[in-house]
Amino acid sequence: MTRIDFYVLNSNQTQARLQFACRLAYKAWEQNRHVYLHCASEAEAEQLDELLWSFRADSFLPHALHPDQPAEAVVCGWGDDPTPHHDLLINLSNDTPDFFSRFNRLAEILVEHDPILTPARERFRFYRKRGYPLKTHQIRTAG
């Protein structure tokens, strides 16, 4: 059964959400995990793709956009088919991905901004009602 972690950042900035997604993806990649970063749109996936190139000055995180290189260890995607990924799903959309249950782990990253928190509460209730193991982490961000 998919393990689901909610990361609640003490920020109201949506950019903090993307920065944390990069950090989480990097940490998972260091542990030889495969990561699918699920974005709400192609534009958001492209923005995250750009951020992944530059979020760490001291190292490099190999990644790609899903349609271009779906088998890369870390990919940014949108839409409904994250094939071949099934390890770690980082959800940056405001919807419950139809395919979330095929993943070993799901990370929901939230900031203190109602357009993000309100649908996240609905997803939390959805997962809890279906018996998924849930864990919430309060994350303090710099600045």
Side-chain angles (χ1 to χ4, degrees):
M1 180 171 264
T2 304
R3 177 183 148 192
I4 302 172
D5 293 280
F6 279 79
Y7 295 91
V8 183
L9 283 60
N10 71 331
S11 172
N12 62 2
Q13 302 298 312
T14 56
Q15 189 66 18
R17 188 180 191 203
L18 297 179
Q19 287 284 343
F20 187 80
C22 291
R23 289 178 32 214
L24 191 59
Y26 185 83
K27 183 177 178 182
W29 174 76
E30 284 185 315
Q31 297 170 355
N32 294 316
R33 312 255 340 236
H34 286 85
V35 182
Y36 182 78
L37 294 128
H38 181 64
C39 299
S41 66
E42 182 177 0
E44 185 179 59
E46 290 172 351
Q47 179 185 4
L48 186 58
D49 177 62
E50 286 298 316
L51 186 58
L52 283 165
W53 287 110
S54 62
F55 86 101
R56 286 184 66 117
D58 62 338
S59 63
F60 172 71
L61 175 59
H63 69 282
L65 287 172
H66 185 264
D68 298 337
Q69 296 176 327
E72 187 71 50
V74 177
V75 295
C76 303
W78 65 97
D80 295 330
D81 185 14
T83 301
H85 290 271
H86 62 271
D87 191 10
L88 172 61
L89 167 62
I90 298 176
N91 185 25
L92 295 167
S93 78
N94 284 332
D95 299 317
T96 303
D98 292 338
F99 49 79
F100 81 91
S101 63
R102 75 185 242 191
F103 283 81
N104 297 324
R105 290 191 59 202
L106 165 59
E108 294 273 2
I109 302 172
L110 315 173
V111 291
E112 296 171 357
H113 184 58
D114 283 340
I116 292 172
L117 283 179
T118 300
R121 289 181 184 116
E122 289 298 318
R123 291 193 306 278
F124 187 91
R125 285 190 281 276
F126 173 87
Y127 301 136
R128 184 178 57 200
K129 183 177 180 180
R130 284 156 182 79
Y132 286 93
L134 302 171
K135 195 168 190 182
T136 301
H137 311 270
Q138 298 294 329
I139 306 295
R140 297 191 56 72
T141 57

